[in-house]
C-alpha cells in the first residue's frame, strides 16, 4: 500500500472527530499482471507528476479485460481516529498502519493469500525487496 507517507486522511478524520472504516480487497492485485521493473521510481514519479506510470495486461495482453479472479472485500472494525489529537497525528498514522497490517494478517489465510505480505511503501520507502516479474 502506498500510504507510508500519506497521513492526510487521518488528519481529516481527527479534525472531524470520526473513526476510519477499514476495508481491504483481497485478490485485487491478481486481476492484472504488472511490470515490476522500476516500480518504486514509477510510483515516486507518478506522485510528483500526477501521471500514473503503470503498465498492465490481462489475458489478451491488451485492453482492460482482467484475468478471472475472485475479489473479496472485507470490512473491519473502525480505526479509532477520533481518540487522537492533531498533535498525535504521527502516532495515529503509525497505529493505523499497524492496525491495517493486523487486519490483513488475520484474514489472509482464510482467503487464499496466506503467502502474501502487506507492505507499506512511499516516496522514501521503496519495496523491501526487488519484485520479480509477474510474467
Amino acid at each position: 500500500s502506498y500510504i507510508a507517507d500519506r497521513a492526510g486522511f487521518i488528519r481529516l478524520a481527527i479534525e472531524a472527530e470520526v473513526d476510519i472504516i477499514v476495508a481491504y480487497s483481497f485478490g485485487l492485485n491478481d486481476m492484472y499482471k504488472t511490470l515490476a521493473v522500476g516500480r518504486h521510481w514509477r510510483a515516486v514519479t507518478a506522485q510528483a507528476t500526477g501521471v500514473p506510470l503503470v503498465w498492465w495486461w490481462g489475458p489478451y495482453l491488451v485492453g482492460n479485460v482482467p484475468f478471472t479472479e475472485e475479489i473479496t472485500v472485507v470490512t473491519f472494525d473502525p480505526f479509532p481516529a477520533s481518540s487522537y489529537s492533531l498533535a498525535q497525528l504521527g502516532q495515529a498514522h503509525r497505529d493505523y498502519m499497524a492496525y491495517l497490517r493486523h487486519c490483513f494478517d488475520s484474514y489472509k489465510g482464510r482467503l487464499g493469500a496466506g503467502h502474501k505480505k502487506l507492505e507499506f511503501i512511499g516516496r522514501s520507502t521503496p519495496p523491501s525487496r526487488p519484485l520479480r516479474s509477474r510474467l
Side-chain angles (χ1 to χ4, degrees):
S1 287
Y2 196 86
I3 64 170
D5 301 326
R6 303 280 179 177
F9 68 102
I10 295 173
R11 181 183 48 80
L12 290 172
I14 291 171
E15 289 174 344
E17 298 179 353
V18 297
D19 294 337
I20 298 172
I21 303 298
V22 179
Y24 190 86
S25 298
F26 288 88
L28 196 59
N29 290 342
D30 298 324
M31 289 180 66
Y32 296 95
K33 302 297 181 190
T34 60
L35 184 63
V37 175
R39 179 176 175 225
H40 178 68
W41 174 85
R42 287 186 286 117
V44 170
T45 303
Q47 288 297 313
T49 64
V51 178
L53 300 173
V54 178
W55 295 278
W56 72 92
W57 59 92
Y60 305 110
L61 297 179
V62 295
N64 290 325
V65 178
F67 288 100
T68 304
E69 294 288 339
E70 183 175 319
I71 307 299
T72 303
V73 178
V74 180
T75 304
F76 302 99
D77 290 334
F79 174 76
S82 61
S83 65
Y84 292 87
S85 70
L86 283 177
Q88 299 171 308
L89 178 60
Q91 185 61 50
H93 185 244
R94 289 187 294 277
D95 291 350
Y96 176 79
M97 289 192 298
Y99 181 66
L100 182 57
R101 184 182 312 276
H102 168 76
C103 292
F104 176 83
D105 288 343
S106 68
Y107 270 80
K108 70 181 184 179
R110 294 182 236 178
L111 298 170
H115 62 288
K116 296 194 176 184
K117 176 185 167 193
L118 182 62
E119 188 170 2
F120 301 114
I121 61 173
R123 285 191 177 124
S124 59
T125 313
S128 61
R129 61 183 173 11
L131 297 173
R132 293 182 315 212
S133 175
R134 296 180 61 180
L135 290 174

